[in-house]
Amino acid sequence: LFCRNFLKMSLFRKTLSFAVLAVGSKAYSLEFKLNGESELSVFALNSEETSENNEEKKKSTESEIELLALALDECGLFAVCDSRKRLQIFDIRRKIQIFHCTTPKQATSLVFINDGRLVIIADRAGNVYQFEPPSIKPSVLLGHISMILDLIFSPDLRYIVSCDRDNRIRVSNFPNTYNIETFCVGHKDFVRSLGWMKVDEHSSFLMSASGDGTVGIWHLPIGKLIYLYNYRESLKRLNSVIPVDAEISKLVVDEQCFVLSFFNVSACLVAQIDFSKWNFQETILKCDGPVFDHILVEGLLYVVQKCRSNPVVLFSFESNCFKRVDSNLQRFNSDVELCNAVDQCESVALPLIKFGSFFDKRVEELTTLHVYWLLKNMINFFLLIFLNIFHFFHFYAIAVRAVIQQMFFWKKLCFEKYLSEMSKIDNRTAIITGADVGGIGYELVRILLQYNWTVVATVYDVNMITVLGELFKEIADEHSLVIEVVDFSSLNSIQSFLEKLKRKYDKVNLLVNNAAVMLTPFTEVKNVELQWMVNFIAPTIVTNSLRTLVCKAAEDDGFGRIVSVSSIELFAASLNQNWFYNGGSNYSNKYCRKYAYCSYLSYANSKLALSYYMQILAKLEIQTANFKCCSLHPGVVHTRLYRHTSWLNQRFLKTAFSRYILLTPTEGAANVLWTACSPNVRSGAYYENGIEVTLPKIDIVDDEEALKLFLVKRN
């Protein structure tokens, strides 16, 4: 029940100039010359040196090698992945191995792109990696929750399509694979194989073969299911030699035709499609032995079968059907060693039956593996609950401590003197994000306008443009106050805002990153968690884009500041390198990200990352005179930031007592302006009520230069 055999030890690929058949521990390549001749070459699929003393060990290990994936490039390169987690690339013309490395997991699919410069591998763990020889370090492109069974690219290389054991087909943009274009939903069992069918010069369809007995035809990029072809009904109707319940092995596609092969079956199913009427003309092609692999190249169907005398056969499309003809691959069939190797092939087992299938099949007996699976998930579930409870109490313990501190120990910071000095600068400009009414940003705009600054304020609600215009009409005009609607969860909105700013202003004296969200329900934007996006990614994008304008103001006017409003809750953070790679989570898998999501931890991590970003930015701009950047905790302020918190918090914020113990937005703005204007602040530092506080350490990298690269250039 656990194993279904789909991948074969015999793998075959062909282009117009080359053909490669990999079997056992060797690969046989056939190069077709212009004069009609062909040259057969043999490559040993073993990158490890073996001494004479280990000859016996070598033979035993070679017999255990299972070939898992093969890719052939037009320029004469082919790559092979085997069960020993090895990727090997060979040059057919030069007859040498040009690259080898170890893959993280056993591969299930392999693709060459960009003239062999990139190798894309999907593995059994559900990850897709990209190798760029000669580098042996892979970069992760995307991930599935279960084992990936096939992987292909669209003809224009805009999309990478992957299918998995859990009947999902994911269509991702390439190379920005974090941007999922769509999911193709319609199959009820694992999706085994994918292919592209060209309809005409301007359109093509994605095709998918599934273990539920159907072949899906999809329109991309919208992921719409156009037609669902049931091949099991066709097999039953044809009364063929192929059993109705035969397990699908591979789908290959050509223009208006596709071919299906099945596990341990000595025949293939060929279907021709009339798209005008959606009619399918089916044919059964009988072979001499079980089909291991098959490819379809310009109307020619090459089949690798388990037959000692004739391992490779050719069918040609003539008179509206496939007929067996003499092959131009006779060099393969005449090689005794190759024929014996194909005849001795066995299949590679893949665990395609999921745990839930036992109950579908009414198997009542629980095995040891089932018990282990249940216990493991129960432990993870209770551990997750415990961690959420811990983060909850840690978060509110810090909040209570902060409230007590500001009630009894905080002093009033006087920024007026410093701001008056800065206000002597001609054509001074400030950018304040998150300036909606009732918050710190609104008070910052009001105070700066009173000191005759030119202020660019961003708001989230479009109605705020009219509201702010009315509130500030006495102290501002259309030139001194510019209000922009920006959604900091949208990269397009941020980019549009930044381009508009750069066209209008050549320098900026003050940038305050104030926009934020807090304790939001689990929401993702382009595979990035919402709090991580708004509180960290967006401010870093804005700062990276505008820091040249701030540096210019520092050089010309003697004053250039970047201030990021952080939070004392950063001391509740548990930040590591995965949080950056996975867009605000410890997990790359979407479902794990959702169910392991803790809003308290996410908020704390985003604020800590932002403060560290300010620290690294200060080191990068250390040579710029009069430039400073820092972060601060403005206090526990009574604003709309808490609108996503629990109902108990909402009730508390409506009481008069809350207004007594919490700071007003004006007091919070005073802390921000003191940090922004005071000449005594240290660039890169984090402040609480005018006092520099050391940030907690984060688990990323030890090397300072690597940290700079990681935090700044990567984001």
Side-chain angles (χ1 to χ4, degrees), residues 236-473:
K236 186 176 181 180
R237 185 178 65 255
L238 293 172
N239 195 21
S240 68
V241 295
I242 305 176
V244 175
D245 59 348
E247 298 286 1
I248 186 71
S249 175
K250 187 178 180 182
L251 163 75
V252 294
V253 181
D254 201 1
E255 293 185 8
Q256 301 185 7
C257 174
F258 65 88
V259 182
L260 297 174
S261 61
F262 301 86
F263 172 67
N264 266 349
V265 175
S266 303
C268 296
L269 172 64
V270 180
Q272 302 171 55
I273 308 176
D274 180 2
F275 287 107
S276 61
K277 301 178 181 179
W278 286 104
N279 288 334
F280 292 80
Q281 181 181 345
E282 297 104 340
T283 309
I284 301 297
L285 293 181
K286 295 183 179 180
C287 301
D288 303 325
V291 176
F292 281 146
D293 200 0
H294 65 296
I295 58 173
L296 194 55
V297 181
E298 295 191 346
L300 298 176
L301 176 64
Y302 297 86
V303 178
V304 179
Q305 58 185 358
K306 188 171 184 176
C307 177
R308 184 188 297 270
S309 60
N310 208 19
V312 182
V313 293
L314 173 64
F315 295 88
S316 177
F317 189 73
E318 300 175 1
S319 303
N320 210 29
C321 65
F322 279 97
K323 295 182 180 179
R324 188 163 174 172
V325 296
D326 291 334
S327 172
N328 60 348
L329 304 177
Q330 288 301 323
R331 293 291 300 275
F332 280 150
N333 295 334
S334 61
D335 190 283
V336 177
E337 185 179 6
L338 185 151
C339 294
N340 291 335
V342 173
D343 188 58
Q344 295 171 6
C345 274
E346 299 296 337
S347 49
V348 179
L350 289 178
L352 295 183
I353 299 299
K354 300 181 287 296
F355 177 74
S357 301
F358 285 94
F359 298 98
D360 297 337
K361 297 177 182 293
R362 298 182 181 180
V363 178
E364 299 177 357
E365 181 181 359
L366 283 177
T367 65
T368 305
L369 185 60
H370 300 161
V371 176
Y372 167 77
W373 185 87
L374 288 172
L375 289 176
K376 178 182 176 182
N377 282 276
M378 288 174 63
I379 292 172
N380 289 337
F381 175 73
F382 286 113
L383 181 62
L384 187 63
I385 292 177
F386 170 78
L387 289 175
N388 275 273
I389 294 173
F390 169 77
H391 289 306
F392 170 82
F393 283 107
H394 192 192
F395 188 92
Y396 279 104
I398 292 175
V400 170
R401 188 194 70 181
V403 170
I404 294 174
Q405 281 181 340
Q406 70 187 29
M407 286 178 63
F408 299 105
F409 303 106
W410 274 31
K411 60 184 178 181
K412 183 179 180 181
L413 297 178
C414 298
F415 63 88
E416 290 82 0
K417 175 183 175 182
Y418 304 131
L419 185 57
S420 298
E421 288 294 322
M422 299 303 107
S423 298
K424 296 177 182 179
I425 301 172
D426 295 331
N427 300 322
R428 52 199 174 276
T429 304
I431 299 174
I432 312 296
T433 66
D436 296 71
V437 173
I440 293 176
Y442 169 82
E443 293 297 327
L444 290 173
V445 173
R446 181 183 62 81
I447 295 170
L448 290 172
L449 288 175
Q450 290 175 346
Y451 280 81
N452 299 319
W453 282 61
T454 298
V455 180
V456 179
T458 72
V459 295
Y460 179 75
D461 187 356
V462 67
N463 296 322
M464 285 292 170
I465 297 178
T466 305
V467 174
L468 291 179
E470 286 294 322
L471 292 173
F472 295 140
K473 64 181 179 181

Side-chain angles (χ1 to χ4, degrees), residues 192-213:
R192 177 62 190 90
S193 190
L194 300 170
W196 285 98
M197 175 170 285
K198 184 178 179 182
V199 181
D200 52 44
E201 294 182 357
H202 306 289
S203 61
S204 58
F205 292 143
L206 172 69
M207 300 191 68
S208 58
S210 171
D212 62 4

Side-chain angles (χ1 to χ4, degrees), residues 602-623:
S602 182
Y603 178 77
N605 281 353
S606 66
K607 290 301 184 180
L608 178 59
L610 181 60
S611 293
Y612 257 101
Y613 172 76
M614 290 291 106
Q615 187 179 100
I616 301 303
L617 183 62
K619 295 178 181 179
L620 293 177
E621 298 292 348
I622 195 171
Q623 302 298 330

